[in-house]
Amino acid sequence: MSAIDPDDLQQHRSYLLRYAILQLRDPHLAEDAVQETLIAAIEGRSKFTAQSSLRTWLVGILKHKILDMLRKRAREPQLNVAEGEDENELVDALFKENGRWASPPQTWNEPEQAMENAHFWEVFEQCNRHMPLNSARAFMMREFMEMTTDEICQELSISTTNCWVILHRARLALRECLDLNWFGNAR
Amino acid sequence: MSHLMDCKHNTELLSQSQDRPLTWRERMAMRMHLMMCKGCRNFEKQLAIIRKAAQELTRKL
């Protein structure tokens, strides 16, 4: 008897789908990734050991599927957008010529309470979606898939320095977006 | 010390400290700057909040 019931797999479906959408930003691709994950899980169910939770195991499979799709997509020329000018523009707008903040960050009040609030998570997901594509891709790999910068550099075929720059821009963009749409409102 | 009052440079260091170990010199420069700059102290805290939120989100989806 197998350790996994296909019905159990279905229960994790919506979680996996949201995870994949966050990373792939394309509901159809995400749907495919999840479908492939569930098929792989059913085919490979004998490999599942109760040492990890079923969800953790599924997410592990899904991460591979997502990376496969990102690789495929990176080979499609139309999505190989050049390093976004808009990303530089953001940095230029945030700092004055002498390197000081144009408008220094203000305190964020009660971040713990924000994380208890469903609306905060909507804003957070939206801010993630609105990041420029290159930034978002690297940031997701770093913060959601918990890859190291070395792994990300390899995956995206970029230099380590470039990787740090891209991750930094992603954090600046996300910080701005959260400040504008959430924390700033409380002030 | 030319970077001492440079917030733009300092935010790069703060961000990179989440991705690699900084050198001793970089850490010193960063600490010095943070002592004098409230904006960057706030930025430092906010980076930590963002990382925590990202980790929390994967659990919450």
Side-chain angles (χ1 to χ4, degrees), chain A residues 58-99:
Chain A
L58 290 171
V59 168
I61 302 174
L62 179 62
K63 282 181 182 176
H64 286 286
K65 301 288 175 198
I66 289 173
L67 279 180
D68 283 347
M69 289 186 165
L70 288 175
R71 277 180 207 136
K72 256 185 241 161
R73 198 159 65 168
R75 285 197 292 270
E76 291 167 16
Q78 72 274 22
L79 281 152
N80 263 335
V81 207
E83 264 307 285
E85 299 265 20
D86 49 343
E87 297 172 56
N88 276 322
E89 274 170 26
L90 170 71
V91 180
D92 289 343
L94 290 176
F95 300 97
K96 294 188 279 199
E97 254 176 55
N98 62 8

mmCIF file of all heavy atoms in Angstrom, chain A residues 58-99:
data_model
loop_
_atom_site.group_PDB
_atom_site.id
_atom_site.type_symbol
_atom_site.label_atom_id
_atom_site.label_comp_id
_atom_site.label_asym_id
_atom_site.label_seq_id
_atom_site.Cartn_x
_atom_site.Cartn_y
_atom_site.Cartn_z
ATOM 1 N N LEU A 58 6.221 18.014 -1.611
ATOM 2 C CA LEU A 58 5.616 18.508 -2.852
ATOM 3 C C LEU A 58 6.267 19.816 -3.307
ATOM 4 O O LEU A 58 6.542 20.003 -4.489
ATOM 5 C CB LEU A 58 4.103 18.714 -2.665
ATOM 6 C CG LEU A 58 3.271 17.437 -2.515
ATOM 7 C CD1 LEU A 58 1.845 17.782 -2.108
ATOM 8 C CD2 LEU A 58 3.270 16.627 -3.806
ATOM 9 N N VAL A 59 6.511 20.699 -2.352
ATOM 10 C CA VAL A 59 7.144 21.977 -2.707
ATOM 11 C C VAL A 59 8.535 21.720 -3.288
ATOM 12 O O VAL A 59 8.955 22.378 -4.239
ATOM 13 C CB VAL A 59 7.213 22.927 -1.488
ATOM 14 C CG1 VAL A 59 8.118 24.119 -1.760
ATOM 15 C CG2 VAL A 59 5.815 23.423 -1.127
ATOM 16 N N GLY A 60 9.223 20.723 -2.735
ATOM 17 C CA GLY A 60 10.531 20.356 -3.271
ATOM 18 C C GLY A 60 10.441 19.968 -4.746
ATOM 19 O O GLY A 60 11.249 20.403 -5.571
ATOM 20 N N ILE A 61 9.441 19.176 -5.081
ATOM 21 C CA ILE A 61 9.250 18.786 -6.488
ATOM 22 C C ILE A 61 8.872 20.006 -7.323
ATOM 23 O O ILE A 61 9.399 20.246 -8.408
ATOM 24 C CB ILE A 61 8.138 17.709 -6.624
ATOM 25 C CG1 ILE A 61 8.497 16.474 -5.794
ATOM 26 C CG2 ILE A 61 7.924 17.331 -8.093
ATOM 27 C CD1 ILE A 61 7.390 15.428 -5.755
ATOM 28 N N LEU A 62 7.964 20.812 -6.768
ATOM 29 C CA LEU A 62 7.482 21.989 -7.497
ATOM 30 C C LEU A 62 8.626 22.949 -7.828
ATOM 31 O O LEU A 62 8.674 23.516 -8.919
ATOM 32 C CB LEU A 62 6.398 22.697 -6.678
ATOM 33 C CG LEU A 62 5.805 23.966 -7.295
ATOM 34 C CD1 LEU A 62 5.119 23.665 -8.624
ATOM 35 C CD2 LEU A 62 4.816 24.629 -6.342
ATOM 36 N N LYS A 63 9.547 23.128 -6.882
ATOM 37 C CA LYS A 63 10.677 24.031 -7.128
ATOM 38 C C LYS A 63 11.448 23.605 -8.377
ATOM 39 O O LYS A 63 11.846 24.450 -9.176
ATOM 40 C CB LYS A 63 11.635 24.038 -5.932
ATOM 41 C CG LYS A 63 11.151 24.877 -4.769
ATOM 42 C CD LYS A 63 12.182 24.841 -3.659
ATOM 43 C CE LYS A 63 11.704 25.632 -2.436
ATOM 44 N NZ LYS A 63 12.663 25.525 -1.325
ATOM 45 N N HIS A 64 11.647 22.303 -8.526
ATOM 46 C CA HIS A 64 12.347 21.831 -9.728
ATOM 47 C C HIS A 64 11.555 22.138 -10.991
ATOM 48 O O HIS A 64 12.111 22.550 -11.998
ATOM 49 C CB HIS A 64 12.617 20.325 -9.631
ATOM 50 C CG HIS A 64 13.710 19.990 -8.672
ATOM 51 N ND1 HIS A 64 15.032 20.216 -8.955
ATOM 52 C CD2 HIS A 64 13.677 19.497 -7.415
ATOM 53 C CE1 HIS A 64 15.769 19.850 -7.920
ATOM 54 N NE2 HIS A 64 14.967 19.412 -6.963
ATOM 55 N N LYS A 65 10.257 21.927 -10.909
ATOM 56 C CA LYS A 65 9.413 22.205 -12.086
ATOM 57 C C LYS A 65 9.448 23.694 -12.431
ATOM 58 O O LYS A 65 9.487 24.072 -13.602
ATOM 59 C CB LYS A 65 7.959 21.788 -11.822
ATOM 60 C CG LYS A 65 7.780 20.321 -11.480
ATOM 61 C CD LYS A 65 7.998 19.442 -12.691
ATOM 62 C CE LYS A 65 7.942 17.963 -12.303
ATOM 63 N NZ LYS A 65 8.551 17.109 -13.331
ATOM 64 N N ILE A 66 9.408 24.525 -11.400
ATOM 65 C CA ILE A 66 9.442 25.973 -11.640
ATOM 66 C C ILE A 66 10.763 26.369 -12.302
ATOM 67 O O ILE A 66 10.786 27.131 -13.268
ATOM 68 C CB ILE A 66 9.240 26.747 -10.315
ATOM 69 C CG1 ILE A 66 7.794 26.597 -9.837
ATOM 70 C CG2 ILE A 66 9.587 28.227 -10.491
ATOM 71 C CD1 ILE A 66 7.536 27.173 -8.454
ATOM 72 N N LEU A 67 11.852 25.812 -11.782
ATOM 73 C CA LEU A 67 13.160 26.136 -12.371
ATOM 74 C C LEU A 67 13.226 25.690 -13.831
ATOM 75 O O LEU A 67 13.727 26.416 -14.684
ATOM 76 C CB LEU A 67 14.282 25.472 -11.572
ATOM 77 C CG LEU A 67 14.698 26.202 -10.296
ATOM 78 C CD1 LEU A 67 15.809 25.442 -9.594
ATOM 79 C CD2 LEU A 67 15.146 27.624 -10.598
ATOM 80 N N ASP A 68 12.689 24.499 -14.112
ATOM 81 C CA ASP A 68 12.651 24.041 -15.501
ATOM 82 C C ASP A 68 11.928 25.051 -16.384
ATOM 83 O O ASP A 68 12.376 25.386 -17.468
ATOM 84 C CB ASP A 68 11.893 22.697 -15.608
ATOM 85 C CG ASP A 68 12.757 21.537 -15.142
ATOM 86 O OD1 ASP A 68 13.983 21.743 -14.992
ATOM 87 O OD2 ASP A 68 12.211 20.447 -14.916
ATOM 88 N N MET A 69 10.794 25.541 -15.881
ATOM 89 C CA MET A 69 10.006 26.470 -16.693
ATOM 90 C C MET A 69 10.701 27.811 -16.855
ATOM 91 O O MET A 69 10.651 28.425 -17.916
ATOM 92 C CB MET A 69 8.640 26.659 -16.066
ATOM 93 C CG MET A 69 7.837 25.393 -16.257
ATOM 94 S SD MET A 69 6.159 25.565 -15.710
ATOM 95 C CE MET A 69 5.472 24.116 -16.502
ATOM 96 N N LEU A 70 11.350 28.255 -15.783
ATOM 97 C CA LEU A 70 12.085 29.521 -15.884
ATOM 98 C C LEU A 70 13.206 29.384 -16.909
ATOM 99 O O LEU A 70 13.471 30.302 -17.678
ATOM 100 C CB LEU A 70 12.663 29.920 -14.527
ATOM 101 C CG LEU A 70 11.656 30.409 -13.487
ATOM 102 C CD1 LEU A 70 12.345 30.645 -12.146
ATOM 103 C CD2 LEU A 70 10.971 31.690 -13.948
ATOM 104 N N ARG A 71 13.853 28.211 -16.907
ATOM 105 C CA ARG A 71 14.932 27.981 -17.881
ATOM 106 C C ARG A 71 14.381 28.012 -19.296
ATOM 107 O O ARG A 71 14.937 28.653 -20.171
ATOM 108 C CB ARG A 71 15.576 26.614 -17.646
ATOM 109 C CG ARG A 71 16.598 26.662 -16.569
ATOM 110 C CD ARG A 71 17.207 25.287 -16.357
ATOM 111 N NE ARG A 71 17.671 25.210 -14.989
ATOM 112 C CZ ARG A 71 17.500 24.179 -14.182
ATOM 113 N NH1 ARG A 71 16.860 23.115 -14.589
ATOM 114 N NH2 ARG A 71 17.969 24.221 -12.960
ATOM 115 N N LYS A 72 13.265 27.309 -19.493
ATOM 116 C CA LYS A 72 12.655 27.278 -20.821
ATOM 117 C C LYS A 72 12.301 28.689 -21.256
ATOM 118 O O LYS A 72 12.551 29.099 -22.366
ATOM 119 C CB LYS A 72 11.385 26.424 -20.786
ATOM 120 C CG LYS A 72 11.569 25.046 -21.411
ATOM 121 C CD LYS A 72 10.242 24.307 -21.453
ATOM 122 C CE LYS A 72 10.326 23.036 -20.625
ATOM 123 N NZ LYS A 72 9.023 22.500 -20.251
ATOM 124 N N ARG A 73 11.715 29.426 -20.317
ATOM 125 C CA ARG A 73 11.249 30.765 -20.653
ATOM 126 C C ARG A 73 12.436 31.681 -20.949
ATOM 127 O O ARG A 73 12.348 32.556 -21.792
ATOM 128 C CB ARG A 73 10.421 31.318 -19.490
ATOM 129 C CG ARG A 73 9.561 32.480 -19.885
ATOM 130 C CD ARG A 73 8.423 32.681 -18.928
ATOM 131 N NE ARG A 73 8.915 33.054 -17.598
ATOM 132 C CZ ARG A 73 8.118 33.513 -16.644
ATOM 133 N NH1 ARG A 73 6.830 33.643 -16.856
ATOM 134 N NH2 ARG A 73 8.611 33.823 -15.476
ATOM 135 N N ALA A 74 13.547 31.483 -20.232
ATOM 136 C CA ALA A 74 14.714 32.329 -20.452
ATOM 137 C C ALA A 74 15.261 32.138 -21.866
ATOM 138 O O ALA A 74 15.912 33.020 -22.412
ATOM 139 C CB ALA A 74 15.800 32.015 -19.428
ATOM 140 N N ARG A 75 14.989 30.966 -22.452
ATOM 141 C CA ARG A 75 15.487 30.727 -23.809
ATOM 142 C C ARG A 75 14.604 31.375 -24.863
ATOM 143 O O ARG A 75 14.994 31.517 -26.003
ATOM 144 C CB ARG A 75 15.591 29.219 -24.070
ATOM 145 C CG ARG A 75 16.776 28.574 -23.360
ATOM 146 C CD ARG A 75 17.091 27.214 -23.959
ATOM 147 N NE ARG A 75 16.057 26.227 -23.712
ATOM 148 C CZ ARG A 75 16.044 25.415 -22.636
ATOM 149 N NH1 ARG A 75 16.988 25.509 -21.730
ATOM 150 N NH2 ARG A 75 15.089 24.542 -22.474
ATOM 151 N N GLU A 76 13.401 31.776 -24.437
ATOM 152 C CA GLU A 76 12.518 32.455 -25.397
ATOM 153 C C GLU A 76 12.927 33.915 -25.487
ATOM 154 O O GLU A 76 12.903 34.630 -24.497
ATOM 155 C CB GLU A 76 11.062 32.355 -24.933
ATOM 156 C CG GLU A 76 10.523 30.944 -25.017
ATOM 157 C CD GLU A 76 9.207 30.788 -24.276
ATOM 158 O OE1 GLU A 76 8.566 31.819 -23.963
ATOM 159 O OE2 GLU A 76 8.828 29.643 -23.994
ATOM 160 N N PRO A 77 13.303 34.354 -26.717
ATOM 161 C CA PRO A 77 13.904 35.684 -26.836
ATOM 162 C C PRO A 77 13.022 36.820 -26.327
ATOM 163 O O PRO A 77 13.525 37.739 -25.701
ATOM 164 C CB PRO A 77 14.173 35.817 -28.343
ATOM 165 C CG PRO A 77 13.446 34.680 -28.995
ATOM 166 C CD PRO A 77 13.215 33.640 -27.972
ATOM 167 N N GLN A 78 11.712 36.752 -26.560
ATOM 168 C CA GLN A 78 10.898 37.931 -26.227
ATOM 169 C C GLN A 78 10.866 38.215 -24.728
ATOM 170 O O GLN A 78 10.568 39.310 -24.310
ATOM 171 C CB GLN A 78 9.474 37.811 -26.788
ATOM 172 C CG GLN A 78 8.576 36.808 -26.088
ATOM 173 C CD GLN A 78 8.748 35.416 -26.661
ATOM 174 O OE1 GLN A 78 9.759 35.095 -27.265
ATOM 175 N NE2 GLN A 78 7.750 34.565 -26.470
ATOM 176 N N LEU A 79 11.184 37.204 -23.923
ATOM 177 C CA LEU A 79 11.148 37.453 -22.493
ATOM 178 C C LEU A 79 12.521 37.807 -21.929
ATOM 179 O O LEU A 79 12.662 38.142 -20.778
ATOM 180 C CB LEU A 79 10.574 36.235 -21.759
ATOM 181 C CG LEU A 79 9.055 36.203 -21.869
ATOM 182 C CD1 LEU A 79 8.530 34.788 -21.794
ATOM 183 C CD2 LEU A 79 8.429 37.072 -20.785
ATOM 184 N N ASN A 80 13.529 37.715 -22.787
ATOM 185 C CA ASN A 80 14.846 38.137 -22.341
ATOM 186 C C ASN A 80 14.965 39.656 -22.384
ATOM 187 O O ASN A 80 15.734 40.226 -23.129
ATOM 188 C CB ASN A 80 15.932 37.521 -23.236
ATOM 189 C CG ASN A 80 16.496 36.276 -22.596
ATOM 190 O OD1 ASN A 80 16.441 36.127 -21.378
ATOM 191 N ND2 ASN A 80 17.036 35.402 -23.412
ATOM 192 N N VAL A 81 14.175 40.282 -21.543
ATOM 193 C CA VAL A 81 14.156 41.740 -21.544
ATOM 194 C C VAL A 81 15.526 42.233 -21.084
ATOM 195 O O VAL A 81 16.107 41.685 -20.159
ATOM 196 C CB VAL A 81 13.113 42.267 -20.546
ATOM 197 C CG1 VAL A 81 12.635 43.626 -20.993
ATOM 198 C CG2 VAL A 81 11.963 41.303 -20.424
ATOM 199 N N ALA A 82 16.008 43.255 -21.734
ATOM 200 C CA ALA A 82 17.294 43.825 -21.322
ATOM 201 C C ALA A 82 17.175 44.354 -19.899
ATOM 202 O O ALA A 82 16.086 44.709 -19.458
ATOM 203 C CB ALA A 82 17.690 44.948 -22.267
ATOM 204 N N GLU A 83 18.274 44.411 -19.202
ATOM 205 C CA GLU A 83 18.311 44.987 -17.852
ATOM 206 C C GLU A 83 17.447 46.229 -17.814
ATOM 207 O O GLU A 83 17.720 47.201 -18.526
ATOM 208 C CB GLU A 83 19.754 45.372 -17.511
ATOM 209 C CG GLU A 83 20.476 44.322 -16.727
ATOM 210 C CD GLU A 83 19.714 43.911 -15.497
ATOM 211 O OE1 GLU A 83 19.711 44.712 -14.542
ATOM 212 O OE2 GLU A 83 19.103 42.826 -15.486
ATOM 213 N N GLY A 84 16.413 46.181 -17.006
ATOM 214 C CA GLY A 84 15.425 47.250 -17.045
ATOM 215 C C GLY A 84 15.991 48.615 -16.678
ATOM 216 O O GLY A 84 16.621 48.780 -15.666
ATOM 217 N N GLU A 85 15.769 49.568 -17.545
ATOM 218 C CA GLU A 85 16.149 50.945 -17.240
ATOM 219 C C GLU A 85 15.367 51.426 -16.034
ATOM 220 O O GLU A 85 15.865 52.174 -15.202
ATOM 221 C CB GLU A 85 15.815 51.859 -18.425
ATOM 222 C CG GLU A 85 16.528 51.514 -19.706
ATOM 223 C CD GLU A 85 17.797 52.320 -19.880
ATOM 224 O OE1 GLU A 85 18.278 52.825 -18.866
ATOM 225 O OE2 GLU A 85 18.285 52.429 -21.007
ATOM 226 N N ASP A 86 14.123 50.958 -15.970
ATOM 227 C CA ASP A 86 13.259 51.426 -14.902
ATOM 228 C C ASP A 86 13.834 51.072 -13.529
ATOM 229 O O ASP A 86 13.606 51.762 -12.559
ATOM 230 C CB ASP A 86 11.847 50.837 -15.054
ATOM 231 C CG ASP A 86 11.878 49.327 -15.272
ATOM 232 O OD1 ASP A 86 12.950 48.815 -15.629
ATOM 233 O OD2 ASP A 86 10.842 48.690 -15.064
ATOM 234 N N GLU A 87 14.623 49.996 -13.483
ATOM 235 C CA GLU A 87 15.186 49.612 -12.204
ATOM 236 C C GLU A 87 16.244 50.628 -11.762
ATOM 237 O O GLU A 87 16.369 50.938 -10.591
ATOM 238 C CB GLU A 87 15.762 48.189 -12.291
ATOM 239 C CG GLU A 87 14.653 47.177 -12.591
ATOM 240 C CD GLU A 87 15.175 45.779 -12.876
ATOM 241 O OE1 GLU A 87 15.880 45.247 -12.016
ATOM 242 O OE2 GLU A 87 14.868 45.247 -13.946
ATOM 243 N N ASN A 88 17.012 51.117 -12.732
ATOM 244 C CA ASN A 88 17.972 52.172 -12.405
ATOM 245 C C ASN A 88 17.274 53.455 -12.018
ATOM 246 O O ASN A 88 17.727 54.181 -11.141
ATOM 247 C CB ASN A 88 18.880 52.456 -13.600
ATOM 248 C CG ASN A 88 20.034 51.477 -13.651
ATOM 249 O OD1 ASN A 88 20.571 51.119 -12.608
ATOM 250 N ND2 ASN A 88 20.389 51.054 -14.839
ATOM 251 N N GLU A 89 16.184 53.721 -12.711
ATOM 252 C CA GLU A 89 15.448 54.945 -12.428
ATOM 253 C C GLU A 89 14.973 54.975 -10.991
ATOM 254 O O GLU A 89 15.012 56.016 -10.342
ATOM 255 C CB GLU A 89 14.239 55.074 -13.364
ATOM 256 C CG GLU A 89 14.589 55.710 -14.675
ATOM 257 C CD GLU A 89 13.458 55.614 -15.678
ATOM 258 O OE1 GLU A 89 12.291 55.522 -15.242
ATOM 259 O OE2 GLU A 89 13.752 55.617 -16.882
ATOM 260 N N LEU A 90 14.551 53.826 -10.496
ATOM 261 C CA LEU A 90 14.077 53.781 -9.118
ATOM 262 C C LEU A 90 15.201 54.202 -8.172
ATOM 263 O O LEU A 90 15.017 55.066 -7.324
ATOM 264 C CB LEU A 90 13.584 52.377 -8.750
ATOM 265 C CG LEU A 90 13.292 52.200 -7.251
ATOM 266 C CD1 LEU A 90 12.043 52.974 -6.857
ATOM 267 C CD2 LEU A 90 13.158 50.745 -6.860
ATOM 268 N N VAL A 91 16.381 53.601 -8.354
ATOM 269 C CA VAL A 91 17.504 53.916 -7.476
ATOM 270 C C VAL A 91 17.840 55.406 -7.569
ATOM 271 O O VAL A 91 18.079 56.071 -6.559
ATOM 272 C CB VAL A 91 18.743 53.054 -7.828
ATOM 273 C CG1 VAL A 91 19.901 53.395 -6.908
ATOM 274 C CG2 VAL A 91 18.401 51.578 -7.712
ATOM 275 N N ASP A 92 17.835 55.930 -8.789
ATOM 276 C CA ASP A 92 18.146 57.349 -8.961
ATOM 277 C C ASP A 92 17.129 58.236 -8.260
ATOM 278 O O ASP A 92 17.471 59.297 -7.739
ATOM 279 C CB ASP A 92 18.180 57.720 -10.453
ATOM 280 C CG ASP A 92 19.406 57.121 -11.135
ATOM 281 O OD1 ASP A 92 20.341 56.720 -10.403
ATOM 282 O OD2 ASP A 92 19.424 57.047 -12.371
ATOM 283 N N ALA A 93 15.891 57.795 -8.262
ATOM 284 C CA ALA A 93 14.846 58.612 -7.644
ATOM 285 C C ALA A 93 14.937 58.575 -6.127
ATOM 286 O O ALA A 93 14.539 59.521 -5.451
ATOM 287 C CB ALA A 93 13.468 58.126 -8.097
ATOM 288 N N LEU A 94 15.465 57.492 -5.594
ATOM 289 C CA LEU A 94 15.481 57.345 -4.137
ATOM 290 C C LEU A 94 16.594 58.129 -3.470
ATOM 291 O O LEU A 94 16.494 58.481 -2.296
ATOM 292 C CB LEU A 94 15.621 55.858 -3.766
ATOM 293 C CG LEU A 94 14.415 54.977 -4.066
ATOM 294 C CD1 LEU A 94 14.725 53.528 -3.731
ATOM 295 C CD2 LEU A 94 13.199 55.438 -3.269
ATOM 296 N N PHE A 95 17.690 58.363 -4.221
ATOM 297 C CA PHE A 95 18.842 59.026 -3.607
ATOM 298 C C PHE A 95 19.195 60.312 -4.336
ATOM 299 O O PHE A 95 19.029 60.418 -5.542
ATOM 300 C CB PHE A 95 20.052 58.081 -3.606
ATOM 301 C CG PHE A 95 19.807 56.819 -2.833
ATOM 302 C CD1 PHE A 95 19.425 55.654 -3.488
ATOM 303 C CD2 PHE A 95 19.927 56.803 -1.444
ATOM 304 C CE1 PHE A 95 19.181 54.485 -2.774
ATOM 305 C CE2 PHE A 95 19.677 55.641 -0.730
ATOM 306 C CZ PHE A 95 19.310 54.475 -1.393
ATOM 307 N N LYS A 96 19.690 61.272 -3.556
ATOM 308 C CA LYS A 96 20.176 62.504 -4.167
ATOM 309 C C LYS A 96 21.548 62.248 -4.778
ATOM 310 O O LYS A 96 22.142 61.192 -4.559
ATOM 311 C CB LYS A 96 20.250 63.606 -3.102
ATOM 312 C CG LYS A 96 18.883 63.986 -2.573
ATOM 313 C CD LYS A 96 18.944 65.199 -1.662
ATOM 314 C CE LYS A 96 19.378 64.796 -0.273
ATOM 315 N NZ LYS A 96 19.040 65.815 0.754
ATOM 316 N N GLU A 97 22.055 63.249 -5.493
ATOM 317 C CA GLU A 97 23.330 63.048 -6.181
ATOM 318 C C GLU A 97 24.478 62.773 -5.220
ATOM 319 O O GLU A 97 25.418 62.054 -5.546
ATOM 320 C CB GLU A 97 23.650 64.251 -7.065
ATOM 321 C CG GLU A 97 23.440 63.909 -8.541
ATOM 322 C CD GLU A 97 23.660 65.111 -9.432
ATOM 323 O OE1 GLU A 97 24.745 65.706 -9.328
ATOM 324 O OE2 GLU A 97 22.734 65.443 -10.206
ATOM 325 N N ASN A 98 24.408 63.324 -4.031
ATOM 326 C CA ASN A 98 25.479 63.087 -3.059
ATOM 327 C C ASN A 98 25.312 61.762 -2.314
ATOM 328 O O ASN A 98 26.053 61.466 -1.388
ATOM 329 C CB ASN A 98 25.565 64.252 -2.072
ATOM 330 C CG ASN A 98 24.281 64.402 -1.254
ATOM 331 O OD1 ASN A 98 23.380 63.561 -1.317
ATOM 332 N ND2 ASN A 98 24.191 65.477 -0.487
ATOM 333 N N GLY A 99 24.320 60.963 -2.714
ATOM 334 C CA GLY A 99 24.164 59.646 -2.116
ATOM 335 C C GLY A 99 23.250 59.619 -0.896
ATOM 336 O O GLY A 99 22.938 58.556 -0.390
#
